[in-house]
Amino acid sequence: GQSLEQPSEVTAVEGAIVQINCTYQTSGFYGLSWYQQHDGGAPTFLSYNALDGLEETGRFSSFLSRSDSYGYLLLQELQMKDSASYFCAVRGHTGGFKTIFGAGTRLFVKA
Amino acid sequence: DTGVSQNPRHKITKRGQNVTFRCDPISEHNRLYWYRQTLGQGPEFLTYFQNEAQLEKSRLLSDRFSAERPKGSFSTLEIQRTEQGDSAMYLCASSLVTESSYEQYFGPGTRLTVT
């Protein structure tokens, strides 16, 4: 089957850098995605890694190590509006190409 | 607005009743997904379509749940004989799958409350 593990909560101060880790188990791995969800809102796509390495998009970066079944989301220059839940999601192949989401990491940004 | 839309946004029903939700994806997207999300959890995969074909259905999904996507456009999710455990946010997402990206665009969801 497929499973993901990520910390349930992270707290950081405004302007700081925070890293949210994700480890996964899947067969036929295709890629790891990250989504942000504010309270009461829909998940919104942040990044997708299919190959090892770092992908940078503005203040957010995402890293993947396929050999370690591990990835992380790096948020720089934290702002209050970054307070949200962050989900890693793995696209694997266990009889299909569905995407499985982790339980999410709730990020609290303090002033 | 050309995003994913879902109707209704909220639904309150009594246990045992049937409910149907609708999702209109982004028009050029070929894949459509249904998820269920409860408080403090990530979206839980229910089923997905490639055009009009339903390619996979979660083993967690009982036979009370059925989804359709006639003509590969909008989709409906029906829950028969609702139970209190069905109370959740039902999310629809669509995507245009390429080799380099797998971004899913989510709709605002339908919040179901079973009393």
Side-chain angles (χ1 to χ4, degrees):
Chain A
Q2 294 166 299
S3 65
L4 299 99
E5 286 191 15
Q6 52 182 129
S8 58
E9 283 187 11
V10 173
T11 301
V13 297
E14 205 172 8
I17 299 172
V18 70
Q19 178 173 312
I20 300 174
N21 299 319
C22 174
T23 58
Y24 60 86
Q25 285 188 322
T26 184
S27 57
F29 175 85
Y30 285 99
L32 187 73
S33 302
W34 289 92
Y35 286 79
Q36 178 192 61
Q37 186 177 32
H38 288 97
D39 285 348
T44 56
F45 174 83
L46 293 176
S47 68
Y48 176 74
N49 295 68
L51 302 175
D52 287 356
L54 192 68
E55 295 279 344
E56 298 181 70
T57 309
R59 294 188 298 115
F60 294 179
S61 303
S62 58
F63 172 82
L64 175 66
S65 169
R66 295 171 66 124
S67 60
D68 295 323
S69 298
Y70 164 76
Y72 65 73
L73 179 69
L74 193 73
L75 295 84
Q76 302 182 74
E77 301 172 16
L78 280 175
Q79 302 175 9
M80 298 296 288
K81 68 178 182 179
D82 297 329
S83 293
S85 293
Y86 293 84
F87 300 94
C88 58
V90 67
R91 180 185 172 210
H93 183 218
T94 53
F97 294 90
K98 64 187 178 188
T99 297
I100 300 299
F101 284 76
T105 298
R106 191 162 179 87
L107 172 64
F108 297 94
V109 180
K110 300 191 300 184
Chain B
D1 184 23
T2 57
V4 178
S5 62
Q6 293 186 245
N7 288 287
R9 296 290 306 277
H10 303 272
K11 179 70 177 178
I12 300 174
T13 191
K14 293 184 177 180
R15 188 175 53 187
Q17 298 294 306
N18 299 344
V19 294
T20 300
F21 309 142
R22 177 179 170 123
C23 171
D24 287 89
I26 294 172
S27 58
E28 62 268 27
H29 284 183
N30 54 358
R31 284 200 179 170
L32 186 147
Y33 313 81
W34 285 100
Y35 296 91
R36 177 172 61 191
Q37 187 176 30
T38 54
L39 195 63
Q41 297 298 313
E44 176 190 9
F45 171 80
L46 295 180
T47 188
Y48 85 95
F49 294 82
Q50 172 115 349
N51 300 314
E52 66 274 11
Q54 186 174 18
L55 296 187
E56 190 169 355
K57 184 175 176 179
S58 170
R59 287 172 294 182
L60 301 174
L61 216 58
S62 76
D63 55 8
R64 296 185 297 107
F65 288 71
S66 62
E68 294 182 343
R69 192 184 183 196
K71 302 178 183 179
S73 55
F74 72 93
S75 176
T76 58
L77 177 69
E78 180 182 18
I79 308 174
Q80 297 182 326
R81 306 181 302 280
T82 53
E83 301 172 357
Q84 287 189 322
D86 296 332
S87 294
M89 177 72 84
Y90 289 83
L91 294 166
C92 173
S94 69
S95 71
L96 182 65
V97 178
T98 67
E99 287 188 3
S100 60
S101 179
Y102 198 69
E103 179 175 356
Q104 295 185 26
Y105 293 80
F106 282 81
T110 295
R111 180 167 296 283
L112 173 66
T113 302
V114 182
T115 61

